[in-house]
Amino acid sequence: MDLIYAYPAEKGRGVEAEIVGSLRDRFGAVAQTGREERDAERGGRTDVFVTLEVRDDRAEAALDALRAHPLVIDAAARSFGERV
């Protein structure tokens, strides 16, 4: 299943490596399949949106872990829909 999360671009690309590494440690196979920078809805900054592929049976737990990460603005299964 695809999961997407967002973080503030000013935090640097190290955020992505740290998140993928911690998710792999906890849930096994996790692959980053996409990355896009977009202007934030508020505040005149840029956010990064990252797409991850995780096993379907681990998706809910991985999503919870993403949402709990202190640098993650938001996370969702498949897409943010109309919010982006």
Side-chain angles (χ1 to χ4, degrees):
M1 173 181 286
D2 285 344
L3 303 179
I4 187 169
Y5 71 92
Y7 72 90
E10 67 267 12
K11 298 300 180 180
R13 290 191 75 147
V15 171
E16 296 167 45
E18 188 272 323
I19 287 175
V20 168
S22 67
L23 291 177
R24 281 183 183 148
D25 289 346
R26 293 178 63 186
F27 306 111
V30 174
Q32 182 170 323
T33 60
R35 180 184 193 278
E36 181 181 351
E37 290 190 22
R38 301 182 193 170
D39 291 336
E41 291 181 10
R42 296 181 297 277
R45 64 171 202 248
T46 302
D47 292 333
V48 177
F49 292 79
V50 178
T51 304
L52 302 174
E53 185 178 309
V54 300
R55 290 182 8 203
D56 286 349
D57 63 329
R58 303 301 240 157
E60 284 300 317
L63 186 58
D64 289 342
L66 282 170
R67 289 178 173 154
H69 193 282
L71 295 178
V72 171
I73 297 168
D74 199 1
R78 295 180 188 85
S79 76
F80 288 125
E82 295 303 314
R83 290 186 287 167
V84 294

